[in-house]
Amino acid sequence: MTDRLHPETLALHAGWRADPSTGAVAPPIYQTTSYQFRDTDHAADLFALKELGNIYTRIGNPTTDILEQRVAAIEGGAAALALASGQAASAYAVQNLARVGDNIVSGTDLYGGTWNLFANTLKDQGIEVRFVDPADPEAFLRATDDRTRAWYVETLPNPKLVVAPIREVAALGRPLGIPLIVDNTAAPLIARPLDHGAAIVVYSTTKYIGGHGTSIGGIIVDGGTFDWEALPERQPLLNTPDPSYHGVVWSEAAKALGPIAYILRARTVLLRDLGAALSPFNAFQILQGLETLPLRMPRHCENAAKVVTFLQGRPDVVRVIHPSVQTGIQAERTTRYLSGGHGGLVGFELEGGGAAGRAFINALKLFYHVANIGDARSLAIHPASTTHSQLSAEEQFATGVSEGYVRLSVGLEHIDDILADLTQALDAVAP
Ligand code: PLP
């Protein structure tokens, strides 16, 4: 039934109707570590993947399962795996395909934490990440060799806000057996990467999906359309016997369960062994947030657009960064991929550079000064000294962070109050 429903409806209904024993309508928080098996055959079948079911909350939980089904349904994917953070989602999404000696190709326009993970931690684990300009799809091809297992971009890169050419990149990778992984954290509902050929979508659910700044979480969505077996030598982790699971070949094992080889391995190997499980309580909080996402996203977009117009009218603002100010091919990509709106993030630079930007943030009264985006409340930060401070000057430049860059995550307050706070803070630092 859910196939025919709209995202607004799926956000309220997918994956859950009512508790069979009590009739409870709100998803229960199954705060349990483990589950009573019916008998020893049942336990053995679950462990042998002959039957899917609850074994232990590190690898699956009924509350978390509702979140996974709901996000997969909204995204148009086959299945999902919720995790303890967006960072875990990005890491597992890559580690599920690449091992020591392998590489992936990633766009440079990334959240600072993802940059660090790719440039340093994955490198230490023997996985090389080759960075390319995501605006040039052919650059992904040029950086690819026989050991390339995946390509990676952010739809609406935080904080560069230049939309990635998802369809163009995905179409180049598919004939080579290379899936495109898309971090859609800044653009849930407004961009639909799977519709454009992406194979996998990752989110930090900490942001817009949770939406209220209460819970850290992440999720990986398996689109279910990528043919992992077409070029088996390209994806050895899914096509060769896995000694950690009595020699199972994941593309074979998934056949009875659906087009879920990728997400099945992520759960049964990475989540089992590395253990970044989302707590059932956080799954509940994120589900609660997700129910109103279709209402919140348009308001974030609308308020952000008004902030852009306001900033463009200020003589002390020398540059505004927002998908709507792009020109040429970037503007075309904005229209194609952000079909549901331009998102809630706005960047700008003041005439006085970094010092003026920092003074502006200190003068804000309504906006919170926090390292987060996608909260219902309006937020501001200076990325060069915070979220991207662990990057070198060159790396900051590559990810779109200049010394004077101020990032706003425009919230759901009344627009007059948002603009009043921006006005008083700008006036306070006016040269
Ligand atoms: N991806 C993007 C685009 C982000 O902005 C963030 C966090 O800011 C993450 C991933 C990491 O998510 P988390 O903080 O939930 O680990």
Side-chain angles (χ1 to χ4, degrees):
M1 181 186 89
T2 52
D3 285 353
R4 295 193 308 273
L5 299 177
H6 297 86
E8 292 82 350
T9 313
L10 294 171
L12 294 163
H13 292 274
W16 178 255
R17 181 66 192 172
D19 181 64
S21 54
T22 64
V25 169
I29 304 171
Y30 288 100
Q31 194 68 32
T32 183
T33 56
S34 34
Y35 306 85
Q36 168 80 3
F37 302 123
R38 289 195 299 272
D39 51 38
T40 51
D41 286 346
H42 177 224
D45 284 352
L46 289 173
F47 275 83
L49 299 176
K50 286 187 188 152
E51 189 183 329
L52 288 185
N54 298 312
I55 298 176
Y56 187 60
T57 281
R58 172 153 38 76
I59 52 172
N61 171 277
T63 310
T64 308
D65 178 62
I66 301 167
L67 175 65
E68 291 165 344
Q69 288 192 49
R70 204 163 280 188
V71 173
I74 293 172
E75 209 60 36
L81 177 66
L83 294 162
S85 67
Q87 280 300 110
S90 307
Y92 284 18
V94 173
Q95 290 167 322
N96 202 37
L97 298 173
R99 61 185 298 279
V100 62
D102 294 339
N103 66 74
I104 69 158
V105 182
S106 171
T108 46
D109 303 354
L110 296 171
Y111 159 63
T114 310
W115 182 283
N116 258 328
L117 167 71
F118 284 4
N120 299 303
T121 302
L122 287 185
K123 185 175 169 198
D124 287 346
Q125 294 176 356
I127 299 169
E128 181 195 354
V129 180
R130 302 174 174 183
F131 293 103
V132 297
D133 176 3
D136 174 11
E138 300 278 336
F140 288 82
L141 271 184
R142 289 194 296 274
T144 291
D145 66 14
D146 288 351
R147 299 292 297 265
T148 303
R149 305 291 177 228
W151 293 347
Y152 192 103
V153 295
E154 283 185 26
T155 307
L156 179 57
N158 158 20
K160 206 171 193 177
L161 306 183
V162 174
V163 176
I166 297 171
R167 184 181 289 269
E168 295 90 323
V169 177
L172 290 173
R174 281 197 180 234
L176 301 175
I178 301 177
L180 178 63
I181 301 170
V182 177
D183 181 339
N184 202 41
T185 295
L189 296 181
I190 60 176
R192 296 183 56 83
L194 297 179
D195 293 353
H196 297 289
I200 305 295
V201 174
V202 299
Y203 282 104
S204 164
T205 53
T206 313
K207 319 296 182 191
Y208 291 99
I209 292 181
H212 296 81
T214 63
S215 311
I216 301 282
I219 199 160
I220 308 177
V221 183
D222 184 340
T225 63
F226 196 83
D227 188 352
W228 304 103
E229 294 170 281
L231 295 166
E233 66 286 357
R234 176 65 79 182
Q235 301 297 346
L237 288 182
L238 295 181
N239 289 300
T240 50
D242 185 343
S244 86
Y245 219 101
H246 48 69
V248 76
V249 175
W250 292 108
S251 57
E252 293 292 329
K255 288 218 163 88
L257 306 168
I260 61 165
Y262 175 89
I263 216 75
L264 184 65
R265 182 184 188 274
R267 184 188 299 282
T268 44
V269 177
L270 295 178
L271 190 52
R272 177 197 65 183
D273 293 353
L274 301 176
L278 183 68
S279 86
F281 182 73
N282 280 7
F284 173 82
Q285 295 277 27
I286 294 163
L287 267 169
Q288 188 85 56
L290 179 57
E291 293 193 351
T292 56
L293 182 68
L295 278 178
R296 288 184 285 107
M297 270 328 271
R299 179 67 172 262
H300 280 294
C301 296
E302 194 185 310
N303 279 353
K306 288 177 181 162
V307 166
V308 168
T309 307
F310 163 80
L311 291 171
Q312 285 169 331
R314 289 280 311 196
D316 43 353
V317 172
V318 292
R319 189 163 81 101
V320 178
I321 300 111
H322 185 252
S324 66
V325 304
Q326 303 293 331
T327 54
I329 192 165
Q330 300 299 0
E332 283 169 32
R333 288 172 180 165
T334 296
T335 307
R336 184 176 316 141
Y337 298 114
L338 294 188
S339 51
H342 292 160
L345 302 178
V346 180
F348 69 96
E349 282 188 45
L350 284 171
E351 209 176 350
R358 285 195 292 274
F360 161 81
I361 288 172
N362 287 332
L364 288 166
K365 292 185 176 142
L366 184 72
F367 278 65
Y368 285 87
H369 178 200
V370 297
N372 195 20
I373 57 169
D375 196 312
R377 302 157 193 82
S378 286
L379 317 172
I381 203 158
H382 177 242
S385 60
T386 57
T387 54
H388 290 64
S389 61
Q390 284 137 37
L391 278 59
S392 68
E394 297 77 44
E395 290 172 336
Q396 286 192 356
F397 179 76
T399 59
V401 175
S402 59
E403 171 55 23
Y405 190 116
V406 174
R407 185 188 71 204
L408 305 178
S409 172
V410 180
L412 306 178
E413 300 91 344
H414 194 286
I415 188 62
D416 293 351
D417 299 330
I418 292 173
L419 298 183
D421 194 36
L422 295 175
T423 303
Q424 68 78 24
L426 287 169
D427 289 348
V429 298

